[in-house]
Amino acid sequence: MVVLDVQPINAVAPGGPLAVLDVQPINAIAPPRQPPPPPATDRELPRCVRKHFLPALGLRADLPVHFIAEKTVTSTDVDAHQNRFRIPLDGVERCLRAILTPAELHAANLLHDMAPRKRTKKMKENVNAEEEGANKKMKEPKKKGKVHGGLRVRLVDLAAGAKELQMSRWDSSRATVVKGEGYLDFVRRCSFREGDVVEVWAFLQRHVRIFGVDVQRGDGVLHVLVVKKNQPRCCYCPIIPHAQ
Ligand SMILES: [Zn+2]
């Protein structure tokens, strides 16, 4: 008699090789509702951005630069215990999402619309816990498979230059933040302080290849520019500021 070294199919332990995982492949995620193009703005980009800054970053001087939002820098944006810069929700929804690809939206946890929720006391506690948790380097993700490292971005300031960080939307508060290692050191060198009114702009230069020929070289990294209103100079300005 031949003894086969196999197990009957129903003897496979739960969670074994035949377990069906309740996950979707990334390309099965429905594309987001087609967002409208970013609304036109009559805001004026500081002259330094095209004249000095974009070329210094290795980018085209005529790159589209999108106005995202105006905000007052809060204590939490510069607080050592918070360690993140918050981008106003309205600007994210109306402008920022419109310039990102589905993969980029996914990386930033912005792919799906989130229904507005009333913040209850318990939720506020959760938000605080999440914000505190964001500061702990070795924090375990709450749910397995839902790690929000975020989308790679560069936070840009006209005085301090550019710093590579991550952008992500938190599930609980729906806040979209720029955060990451070195955030606080960078922000301390930036030109804005608590209480300053700043404009948030965004730009990215994608790599474009047509018929095997590079027509535009770019690393496609989203740049989030924070400009203090009426800031006349940047770190690339010549000693004598250019005429306004
Ligand atoms: Zn300049």
Side-chain angles (χ1 to χ4, degrees):
M1 184 181 157
V2 178
V3 178
L4 294 174
D5 184 20
V6 291
Q7 289 180 303
I9 189 126
N10 57 4
V12 175
L18 291 176
V20 176
L21 296 175
D22 185 21
V23 292
Q24 289 180 302
I26 185 123
N27 58 5
I29 295 171
R33 174 171 52 80
Q34 197 57 42
T41 176
D42 53 4
R43 302 269 176 168
E44 209 175 315
L45 190 66
R47 287 173 58 110
C48 272
V49 175
R50 295 200 188 283
K51 194 156 183 156
H52 301 138
F53 233 85
L54 292 175
L57 291 170
L59 304 172
R60 270 169 44 207
D62 63 345
L63 199 65
V65 178
H66 307 279
F67 174 75
I68 304 299
E70 181 178 297
K71 68 169 270 176
T72 301
V73 177
T74 63
S75 59
T76 53
D77 292 319
V78 292
D79 186 297
H81 300 291
Q82 303 277 336
N83 231 358
R84 86 291 182 287
F85 185 88
R86 192 179 198 278
I87 304 175
L89 181 67
D90 184 52
V92 172
E93 292 298 323
R94 284 189 309 120
C95 309
L96 192 55
R97 290 180 73 181
I99 61 171
L100 299 175
T101 65
E104 289 162 348
L105 290 168
H106 178 74
N109 192 33
L110 284 168
L111 188 57
H112 298 290
D113 288 322
M114 282 186 188
R117 291 188 292 177
K118 277 196 175 167
R119 279 169 69 136
T120 60
K121 195 177 169 215
K122 187 159 189 288
M123 278 175 66
K124 273 188 185 166
E125 283 165 9
N126 287 343
V127 171
N128 290 339
E130 190 170 0
E131 294 188 357
E132 276 169 25
N135 298 319
K136 291 176 191 162
K137 264 191 185 168
M138 298 305 288
K139 189 195 164 211
E140 282 289 312
K142 276 180 195 158
K143 276 189 201 166
K144 217 178 173 184
K146 201 156 191 183
V147 185
H148 293 157
L151 174 68
R152 189 175 148 225
V153 298
R154 285 195 194 103
L155 187 63
V156 181
D157 173 82
L158 292 184
K163 168 75 185 166
E164 192 154 318
L165 294 161
Q166 294 93 40
M167 183 179 81
S168 181
R169 177 171 65 181
W170 281 324
D171 285 331
S172 52
S173 59
R174 299 172 71 224
T176 299
V177 299
V178 174
K179 37 117 186 155
E181 207 176 324
Y183 169 82
L184 204 64
D185 283 344
F186 179 71
V187 151
R188 283 178 176 154
R189 288 187 282 116
C190 286
S191 40
F192 54 84
R193 295 286 174 267
E194 181 183 344
D196 285 343
V197 177
V198 294
E199 289 177 345
V200 180
W201 298 78
F203 51 91
L204 73 173
Q205 184 167 311
R206 299 189 189 283
H207 196 80
V208 182
R209 225 173 139 80
I210 297 176
F211 298 120
V213 177
D214 290 341
V215 291
Q216 178 176 288
R217 284 198 163 272
D219 58 9
V221 176
L222 176 71
H223 290 71
V224 177
L225 169 69
V226 180
V227 185
K228 193 172 155 178
K229 278 190 115 179
N230 305 319
Q231 185 175 343
R233 293 170 56 83
C234 77
C235 57
Y236 300 110
C237 270
I239 308 295
I240 302 163
H242 48 75
Q244 291 293 307

